[in-house]
Structures are given as C-alpha cells and as structure tokens.
Amino acid sequence: MAKAGVQGSTRDREITGARVIVTCPGRNFVTLKIETKGGVTGLGDATLNGRELAVAAYLTEHVIPNLIGRDAGRIEDIWQFLYRGAYWRRGPVTMSAIAAVDVALWDILGKMAGMPLYQLLGGRSRDGALVYCHANGDSIEQASEAVGRYIEQGYLAVRAQSGVPGLAKTYGVTKSKLAYEPAESELPTETVWSTPKYLRHTPKLFERARADHGEEVLLLHDVHHRLTPIEAARLAKDLEPYRLFWFEDSTPAENQDAFKLIRQHSTTPLAVGEVFNSIWDCKGLIENQLIDYIRTTIVHGGGITHVRRIADFAALYGVRTGFHGATDLSPVTMGAALHFDTWVPNFGIQEYMHHTQETLDVFPHDYAFREGRLHVGDTPGHGVGIDETLAAKFPYAPKQLPIARLEDGAMWDW
Ligand code: EZ4
Ligand code: CO
C-alpha cells in the first residue's frame, strides 16, 4: 500500500471487490467492506435492527455486482446510481444499503487523502460532540438515581425513562439496568401499553429528576411513537416546567402535519426522525418549523451524502441535528456520525448508548468520551475498523424488536 496522501489515481481507485460481514458480538451487525485496486479498503454499516439479512441480501444480490469496476472516488455519482438508477426508491432496506456503500466510499477517500472524514466535509466546527446517554429504572426513584450516576460520570445530558405502574414492561426500561437492548428474542416479545397510565406518570419522573439534580443537567425523554397528536401536545405542555432539552418521537410522523397540533400547544423542543430514511420524510416538518431536532442518522438515511442534504436544509430553518445512536447502530456508524457532528454547523446533540466490550473489540475505533462529549481522532477516514477473525467467532443470531398491544389486545405502535 502506498503512503497515505499520495494515492488516489483513477487506477488505484477502481473498486475491485466488496463483501458483507454479518457478526453478532452481543447483537447483530451488518458491515460492508469495499476494496480498491490500490489496496485501500473502506467500511460502511448496513445494520437494520431485526431485519439485518434483508439489507445483507440487498447488498450482495443487487448492489455489489454494480460496484465492481467503478471509480470509488465518484461518491456522488454512485449515490445517484443506487438511488435514482434503481427505479424503486427509498425505504429503510434500500437506504441502509446505500448508506453502507456511501460511508465506505467516504472512508476510502479519507484514507487516500490521508485526512479524517470531518476534514473532507469542511473541517472542525467544534472540539467534541455533546452526547446524551440513557438512564432508566423500574420506578421514578430508580430512574432518577440512574440520572445521578451518569452526571457523576461526566455526562451533561441524560435521557430518562421509567417503568409505569400497572405496565409489566415499558420502552427504555431494562431489568438488568445495563444499556437497553430491545431486540431480545427470535420472535417479537409482546408488551402491553396504556396511554392514560403513561400520561399520568411521566411528568412526575421529571419533577423528581429536577428536584434531585437541579436545573443544569440537560434532560431528554423518548415517547417512542406511542401518542396521538393531541395526547403528545398534552404531555409536551405538562412537561414544560421541567425544561426538557427535547421530547422525542411523541407521535408517528407518517403524517408530518400532525406536529402542527403539538407545536400549537407547547414550547417543549421536539425531536423526531430515527425511523426516517430520506429528506422526503422530514421536508414538511423542517420547512414548517414543526421540529427542533432531526434524528435521521447516517446508516438509515442514505449515508453522509444524503444526510448532509437533510442537515443543510434543516440549517435554513434553525433545525439542528440530534442523530440516533442506539447500540443497534454499529461503531462504524458512530464513527462516521461523530465526524459529521464535528463538522456540521447546525449540530445539536448525539445519542450515545454503550456497546458491549465484544462489539468494541470487533470494531477497533479511535473515538473517546471526555467530559460529556465524544471526540474523534485524526485517523484518516472515519477511524473505525473491523477485526474479521474476531467477527467470525460471533455468528448471526436472529432477533426481532418487540411489539405493543393496548390492554384490549389491539395492536399499537411499539
Ligand atoms: O428503539 O434503536 O432513541 N433511541 C431509540 C432506540 C430504538 C432502537 C430500535 O432499533 O428509540 O432505542
Ligand atoms: Co428514540
């Protein structure tokens, strides 16, 4: 391999191979590795929780054969080829596959240029990316104690979720008290949901958290798409005294206009978009200024090339980024997202759940947590690799996300 910075001739950049690596070091991850004639390789994450093999097959059967022989430096053209040229557009499977290719190509470009990804995007806007972690507990007391433990560890922003009396399981709350891993069984776990119970309980959680921890810590909450617009408006209003940093996914957003109702009734900042996969899912939300943070991240939103368009559009309307960063997004996405966060002028916050040690070992990386922020290193590309020998020791294990039903048995949003 030639020295970094002196490669990049068209000949060196020819894509000679691409492979999908599926591994389960605690949870399933799908990784795309692209190889070039000059010997430089790039990695992209293609993980879609509970639907991993659909993306793996889309890549292997339909994308990789189209990549061989192309110039890895034509990142935009390859993106347009895979999106515009495929005829069947959008959707999480397609857009995760496109994202994997796109991130791997940016990784290759960075390695060839000898530059970290944030530099290719336009350079640093900040020293580190503010992150929030997940605190949870069966009861309000336990959840508030968990918030306190994260503050002691140096976190400036904490998401708080607590169990709801009368409900056996609640989104975001784990029995083990470790990081929350909802995809836990081969077929979906069935959970029961009650909106009235949740609406009565949740303001008390934040009343307690503010009483215990004061005004300074940034507090966040994730509703996980469970409320109707008017219920979301009611809760956003009830939470106003506790000054949330954001109120996430309060209602499903297939109908973007639904957010008008929430907005009319509350000044609590709104975040949405972890399940979106293109700018068309959030265009109305952004241009009508119905949200404050857009959560669509690199892996599910078509890669850096597309998420950059979303972020630039959002900047025109004062909407900031707040990328999804649960553990079902691999360290490759975390690395790429952190480079993006380091550059993007309208950065808000980055979600940060902790991967298992096995996952961190499979994906060597150079980002690190210090004083409430994650910091990327200066490794060329996105700075995340894969130990393929170790990855092969963790075979794929099928797991699906839970579902939710109301107390009368009817299906609801999980
Ligand atoms: O449930 O990533 O904000 N974080 C979240 C996550 C999602 C999972 C789904 O795969 O909502 O916990
Ligand atoms: Co969420």
Side-chain angles (χ1 to χ4, degrees):
M1 205 172 104
K3 231 174 73 191
V6 298
Q7 291 207 5
S9 75
T10 315
R11 191 187 164 278
D12 283 340
R13 293 198 312 246
E14 185 185 324
I15 297 174
T16 50
R19 281 181 295 122
V20 173
I21 303 157
V22 180
T23 180
C24 185
R27 67 162 323 113
N28 294 312
F29 294 110
V30 178
T31 309
L32 176 70
K33 184 169 191 174
I34 297 183
E35 292 157 358
T36 57
K37 192 165 258 173
V40 174
T41 62
L43 287 186
D45 178 23
T47 308
L48 185 61
N49 203 5
R51 295 290 183 269
E52 293 87 358
L53 298 188
V55 190
Y58 190 89
L59 281 166
T60 307
E61 302 296 324
H62 308 295
V63 172
I64 289 174
N66 291 293
L67 295 178
I68 309 303
R70 281 177 199 279
D71 177 354
R74 297 196 177 196
I75 300 176
E76 182 70 48
D77 185 62
I78 290 176
W79 194 93
Q80 298 291 341
F81 175 87
L82 294 173
Y83 179 89
R84 199 172 279 241
Y87 191 62
W88 309 108
R89 294 183 186 182
R90 303 162 58 189
V93 173
T94 303
M95 296 305 275
S96 300
I98 295 177
V101 174
D102 187 73
V103 170
L105 296 180
W106 280 98
D107 193 28
I108 288 170
L109 185 68
K111 288 174 179 170
M112 285 185 166
M115 288 181 191
L117 178 52
Y118 71 78
Q119 195 61 56
L120 301 180
L121 292 170
R124 273 187 190 281
S125 296
R126 55 191 57 77
D127 296 331
L130 175 70
V131 295
Y132 73 92
C133 59
H134 289 198
N136 71 82
D138 287 333
S139 65
I140 284 176
E141 292 67 32
Q142 287 169 2
S144 185
E145 276 166 32
V147 171
R149 284 195 294 276
Y150 282 117
I151 295 171
E152 278 166 28
Q153 289 171 34
Y155 285 90
L156 306 170
V158 185
R159 187 187 93 161
Q161 311 285 139
S162 87
V164 175
L167 296 182
K169 262 177 159 284
T170 314
Y171 166 76
V173 179
T174 172
K175 293 280 173 244
S176 71
K177 301 292 157 282
L178 299 169
Y180 186 57
E181 295 291 357
E184 56 187 6
S185 52
E186 197 163 337
L187 293 176
T189 310
E190 301 233 348
T191 64
V192 177
W193 174 252
S194 160
T195 295
K197 287 178 176 140
Y198 169 77
L199 286 182
R200 279 199 299 274
H201 188 68
T202 302
K204 295 178 203 154
L205 166 64
F206 287 92
E207 183 182 18
R208 174 66 185 257
R210 280 289 174 226
D212 287 351
H213 308 296
E215 293 298 318
E216 202 165 317
V217 62
L218 306 173
L219 293 175
L220 301 83
H221 184 67
D222 190 350
V223 181
H224 224 256
H225 304 115
R226 306 287 171 93
L227 302 177
T228 66
I230 195 66
E231 290 161 353
R234 156 62 65 199
L235 184 55
K237 196 170 166 179
D238 287 350
L239 291 172
E240 273 177 10
Y242 314 115
R243 293 287 190 269
L244 262 54
F245 181 89
W246 85 29
F247 183 59
E248 175 181 336
D249 289 350
S250 56
T251 196
E254 281 99 333
N255 172 16
Q256 298 180 39
D257 284 345
F259 275 69
K260 282 185 187 152
L261 195 67
I262 313 172
R263 236 347 176 213
Q264 277 163 11
H265 292 285
S266 172
T267 55
T268 295
L270 304 177
V272 75
E274 66 184 48
V275 302
F276 296 173
N277 52 71
S278 94
I279 196 165
W280 302 102
D281 296 327
C282 51
K283 180 173 171 287
L285 289 169
I286 291 170
E287 70 192 351
N288 296 312
Q289 300 179 82
L290 300 178
I291 56 170
D292 302 281
Y293 298 93
I294 180 70
R295 287 184 44 71
T296 311
T297 190
I298 314 284
V299 57
H300 301 137
I304 288 159
T305 297
H306 191 64
V307 171
R308 185 168 64 173
R309 294 213 158 91
I310 298 177
D312 278 344
F313 183 64
L316 301 179
Y317 299 94
V319 175
R320 294 192 281 157
T321 64
F323 288 165
H324 190 201
T327 40
D328 44 290
L329 286 66
S330 93
V332 172
T333 286
M334 185 53 86
L338 288 169
H339 280 269
F340 196 100
D341 296 338
T342 299
W343 156 71
V344 71
N346 50 323
F347 171 73
I349 200 165
Q350 169 69 54
E351 183 178 21
Y352 176 40
M353 278 174 77
H354 301 175
H355 285 116
T356 63
Q357 191 55 49
E358 287 82 3
T359 297
L360 297 172
D361 292 344
V362 167
F363 297 97
H365 56 281
D366 73 350
Y367 56 80
F369 177 81
R370 282 198 307 280
E371 294 167 357
R373 295 186 167 80
L374 275 169
H375 300 260
V376 285
D378 280 328
T379 309
H382 56 52
V384 185
I386 188 164
D387 179 337
E388 290 190 59
T389 313
L390 191 57
K393 294 190 178 146
F394 300 106
Y396 169 71
K399 293 231 163 67
Q400 291 191 54
L401 287 167
I403 58 146
R405 292 184 185 276
L406 299 179
E407 288 165 306
D408 69 1
M411 277 293 292
W412 198 246
D413 306 84
W414 176 73

